[in-house]
Amino acid sequence: MTREDALAAITKALTTTVGDIDGTISEDTNLVDDGMLDSLDSMTFLFELETDLGMKLEAIDETYEDFRVGSIVDIVVAATA
Amino acid sequence: MNVTAQPLNVYIRGTRDYVQGSQILARTAELVGADDSALLVSAKFTQITERGVLAVFADADEGGAIEIGRAVFVTATGRQTVRFCEVAGDKAPPIEDVPRVTANLETDGKGTGSTTFAIAGTFESYLVAIIEFVKAVHAQRGQNVTDIWFTALMGARLPLHTSYPRTGTLRVTPKIERMVDGRLQTLSLVDTEGDGNAPSQFQICFSCVVGND
């Protein structure tokens, strides 16, 4: 999966989780720090992302805290390589 | 019923020190609409309360009350978001506890489990069963698991006014786990098998504190 594809999958999971989002997200967006997801939403987001990808993202364990989009793109690209 | 903000008849049941989410959702369902197609699709609680609860419909003024959660219903007239706010003042009145509705709990201690249930077949009794069950599965995740809270329900299509199975089996499968501020937050899938109209699979979230001993 390319970075663009990963970003599209993340955007889709985000939209499913919180509804329509204002503007677009970039790899610099931090989904939690920028207020797009609270801790409950972050679980739904990860569930939707993993469901859409059809795989468990092993790099995102229970202690994972980095919700910068670029970091999640890195994980998705690596997991789908 | 056309309401904008309505106090809910909720109680502190048994030895609990909080108003159950199942009561809040069930009392709100009675206000949402009487059509048979009405559904609960999601709910989210951000804090617990031992006080009264106000259901605030649409953009009605909550009068400065603290929001403790919200739910989304679908009725014949469309989607309806209801906010739940804590009513300042006295505790909610007490009410006697009810017997457990689940039995034969089996769990792997890691969040997967199953149970049988016997309920009245109403929306509220079904909510009580799933929350009692998933709470029990969380309680088995360690030797000292405390503060186990039902926090959310998503991706659901739970009818408000249609009969549910009176007996059957519930299964829970963990999907996402996160540690946030010392609390374990979980997202799991709930499946229902029963003798009637079993609801389709949905997601449920809990949080708890897992001790080290």
Side-chain angles (χ1 to χ4, degrees):
Chain A
M1 182 176 276
T2 65
R3 296 191 75 82
E4 289 72 25
D5 291 339
L7 183 59
I10 290 166
T11 302
K12 182 182 175 188
L14 183 64
T15 304
T16 303
T17 302
V18 299
D20 292 335
I21 52 179
D22 293 332
T24 58
I25 60 169
S26 72
E27 293 205 18
D28 292 329
T29 305
N30 189 306
L31 300 177
V32 172
D33 291 351
D34 293 347
M36 303 184 86
L37 299 176
D38 62 20
S39 61
L40 262 175
D41 293 334
S42 69
M43 288 197 300
T44 307
F45 164 74
L46 292 173
F47 172 75
E48 295 293 344
L49 181 60
E50 290 184 352
T51 301
D52 189 47
L53 295 172
M55 65 189 320
K56 180 83 179 161
L57 296 171
E58 301 293 347
I60 300 181
D61 62 11
E62 68 180 39
T63 62
Y64 185 81
E65 291 183 343
D66 183 0
F67 278 84
R68 196 178 66 83
V69 170
S71 302
I72 303 172
V73 167
D74 290 342
I75 290 170
V76 171
V77 170
T80 56
Chain B
M1 184 184 292
N2 186 16
V3 292
T4 52
Q6 177 86 22
L8 302 175
N9 290 323
V10 293
Y11 300 89
I12 301 286
R13 191 179 290 283
T15 59
R16 293 170 180 81
D17 57 2
Y18 59 91
V19 174
Q20 295 161 290
S22 55
Q23 284 189 52
I24 295 171
L25 294 173
R27 297 293 79 76
T28 305
E30 294 164 359
L31 304 172
V32 163
D35 66 274
D36 285 346
S37 65
L39 303 168
L40 171 67
V41 295
S42 68
K44 178 176 174 179
F45 292 99
T46 50
Q47 69 178 70
I48 60 171
T49 184
E50 59 181 4
R51 297 189 165 84
V53 177
L54 188 69
V56 183
F57 290 75
D59 295 323
D61 182 10
E62 79 284 358
I66 298 169
E67 181 174 323
I68 62 168
R70 53 179 59 197
V72 177
F73 297 87
V74 173
T75 68
T77 57
R79 291 174 75 87
Q80 209 169 358
T81 299
V82 183
R83 290 174 288 144
F84 304 122
C85 296
E86 183 181 66
V87 176
D90 295 337
K91 281 185 179 181
I95 192 172
E96 283 188 13
D97 210 347
V98 293
R100 293 181 66 85
V101 295
T102 63
N104 304 309
L105 177 70
E106 293 185 9
T107 175
D108 65 354
K110 299 175 183 174
T112 298
S114 66
T115 193
T116 58
F117 66 90
I119 60 175
T122 62
F123 172 67
E124 183 170 14
S125 67
Y126 178 73
L127 289 178
V128 167
I130 58 172
I131 294 170
E132 178 180 300
F133 163 52
V134 182
K135 192 168 190 171
V137 170
H138 279 69
Q140 299 295 316
R141 295 185 68 116
Q143 292 296 311
N144 184 25
V145 184
T146 58
D147 295 336
I148 309 171
W149 307 122
F150 160 58
T151 54
L153 179 155
M154 287 92 61
R157 298 185 61 80
L158 301 181
L160 307 186
H161 308 298
T162 304
S163 293
Y164 283 78
R166 290 173 180 268
T167 60
T169 301
L170 299 170
R171 299 182 200 286
V172 65
T173 307
K175 285 294 176 182
I176 302 289
E177 297 183 356
R178 297 200 62 218
M179 284 298 298
V180 179
D181 298 332
R183 296 185 67 86
L184 176 65
Q185 297 191 341
T186 67
L187 182 152
S188 308
L189 297 179
V190 173
D191 291 284
T192 308
E193 297 170 9
D195 58 357
N197 297 321
S200 55
Q201 184 185 70
F202 59 90
Q203 305 148 38
I204 196 165
C205 294
F206 269 68
S207 77
C208 62
V209 177
V210 181
N212 292 324
D213 53 339

